[in-house]
Amino acid sequence: GKGIAVFTSGGDSQGMNAAVRAVVRTGIYLGCKVYFIREGYQGMVDGGDNIIEADWSSVSSIIHMGGTVIGSARCMDFKERWGRLKAAENLVKRGITNIVAIGGDGTLTGADTFRAEYSGLLDELLSTGRITSDEREKNKFLNVCGLVGSIDNDFCGTDMTIGTASALRRIIEALDAISSTAYSHQRTFIMEVMGRHCGYLALLSAMASEADYVFIPEDPPNPNWPEKMCKKLKQEREMGKRLNIIILAEGAVDVEGQPITAEQVKKVVVDNLQQDTRITILGHVQRGGNSVAFDRVLGSRMGAEAVMALMEAEEGATPCLISLEGNQAVRLPLMECVKQTKGVAEAMKVKDWAKAIELRGRSFMR
Ligand code: F6P
């Protein structure tokens, strides 16, 4: 059978384990030899015990766990050619000709670059005697399939990334808790949520918690936001609401592209409305803990589809991304999705907000 390796790289997310499990089990079911690569690209470079063959039971009882049981890392060595040479050597020695990369855009871009230069890497390994011509011949191509694991839902081409639903669930639990104490004390809370440069978690949690105001990076508020926000908070109180909730995406910016901070928002509330105001920065609890059913099922479906895509692909085919479109798992050209995702960042850099939202496409709410 074919050799397939699965690894997780970059920030972890809930549901990655379900995806790893599905890759292993689907691969074994289809007669492949499936390998784990531990600690992301670092394990691929280091080899040794970091690359081990998986069996059916090695992925038992992990589907519900948060994080990734095979570890993840942000790897510098893989950014260097010598690191990628070692990685290629480690794959060839084990007969691994297919990889499933689970991570964000950095991870997936790395996988694409690696595949594109693979043949050159093998030539160099052969000419320096690190692999034999037989090994070179049997492992000519590397096929790549990507799955997006991230709580941020910041990747273009897919409706939902693996982990987003669990992070949202965690945010909502926290918001419910905050709301009850805010209610008792008639307080205003500013809740800062993750998402890097993406406002999805902020926007969705604001909707689901009937928050009064939300700041997201893709749609900076008008410069008169302090006035507008205070008017809205005041109105709510006048109509009998005992609390106010403001959601702030960690990457929120103003129209000049300058960060909007929780302290800044708090000052506006306190100075203008004299409301008793507190800040909660939710942090990494959003990324940890058990996954919700949606992410377990999403990870499972995406993992299984990744293996099937690899089995059906021609040798050396361009990398594909498994995306969720409506309720369907579909295969898309990986690099086009990466390119579009990078386009969002570029649009935001030049403050073209309309373009940023447009490019977010399906990974954003309509
Ligand atoms: O991409 C996931 C994420 O949790 C972002 O929401 C956040 O900005 C970042 O990772 C935090 O990174 P780190 O875990 O390295 O602190």
Side-chain angles (χ1 to χ4, degrees), residues 134-146:
D134 187 44
E135 285 170 331
R136 167 82 178 82
E137 192 51 34
K138 283 192 181 131
N139 297 276
K140 248 194 299 214
F141 299 106
L142 182 70
N143 279 31
V144 172
C145 186

Side-chain angles (χ1 to χ4, degrees), residues 15 18-19 160-163 293-303 324:
M160 283 290 257
T161 56
I162 301 166
F294 183 89
D295 280 326
R296 298 182 197 188
V297 174
L298 183 65
S300 301
R301 291 176 65 194
M302 302 287 120
L324 182 73

Side-chain angles (χ1 to χ4, degrees), residues 74 150-152 194-196 250 284 287:
R74 301 191 201 274
S150 169
I151 63 166
D152 300 336
M194 278 186 165
R196 213 179 289 265
E250 64 173 347
H284 286 79
R287 228 167 75 188

